[in-house]
Amino acid sequence: MSTTRMMILGIVSWMQPVHGYDVRRELVSWNADKWAKIQPGSIYHALKKLTEEGLLREVGTEQMGARPERRTYEITPKGRDVFEELLRGEWWELNLPIDPFQAAFAFLPALPRKEAAAALRHRARMLRAATEGFRDMIDTGVSGINKPIHVRWMFELWIARSEGEIAWCDRVAEQVESGVSYLPDTVTSEEQAEGWDGFRDQLTE
């Protein structure tokens, strides 16, 4: 929610006075639903809530034919303070992304080795396809991705992170296939087999 607040406050501050429709369109053009988890359907609700909190203010409405009224927003001094606080917090703090895959990976021994290795290699293939798509977008300048330059840098960051994960997937898949033990030496192979084999049996029932 803090990311949604920061981005909406930032877009309004940058484009004001601005319609809610244009805020939504701008965030959709940034693909913010993919890398910032901002769902397009939640943007109007967030605008209303930020207005109720005094961080934004409505400065006009516009009616075009039979279409719904469009409200125009500006940021308030309080909203600008909150935006700057959220912005600097994200710049100066390290917030590791929440990845459901990591939660699933914690149960690696619950999967047969062959399936786990195949899943890791499949994940690497999906990441390769995605990074190739982003490179093509950068090379062709699709959707103005190269302007302003910092938008291109964001995509390059995503590519760099993905390349690191691709290498990790390939390396771990090889380790899984090699039969390396998952658990510490203090856990006997009999205990490991009894615990995780039983768990796998439950999953396949």
Side-chain angles (χ1 to χ4, degrees), residues 149-197:
I149 187 63
H150 69 275
V151 174
R152 173 175 176 164
W153 292 339
M154 285 195 299
F155 280 85
E156 290 175 348
L157 173 60
W158 193 92
I159 290 171
R161 287 174 173 172
S162 296
E163 288 176 337
E165 186 169 348
I166 289 167
W168 176 88
C169 285
D170 290 338
R171 184 177 70 253
V172 174
E174 290 177 1
Q175 291 291 306
V176 169
E177 290 173 331
S178 74
V180 66
S181 176
Y182 297 147
L183 301 180
D185 293 338
T186 54
V187 179
T188 67
S189 59
E190 291 80 7
E191 289 172 333
Q192 177 179 346
E194 181 180 351
W196 289 111
D197 285 350

Side-chain angles (χ1 to χ4, degrees), residues 132-143:
E132 288 172 7
F134 278 119
R135 284 196 182 95
D136 288 344
M137 291 173 68
I138 290 173
D139 291 342
T140 59
V142 172
S143 300

Side-chain angles (χ1 to χ4, degrees), residues 74-118:
E74 287 183 351
I75 196 167
T76 65
K78 178 182 176 182
R80 185 171 295 281
D81 289 343
V82 171
F83 168 66
E84 291 180 359
E85 180 181 353
L86 291 170
L87 179 67
R88 288 192 166 88
E90 296 297 340
W91 268 90
W92 289 95
E93 295 175 11
L94 178 61
N95 295 303
L96 297 177
I98 297 174
D99 185 352
F101 170 72
Q102 291 183 321
F105 189 77
F107 292 96
L108 169 63
L111 288 179
R113 285 181 181 269
K114 184 176 181 180
E115 181 182 351

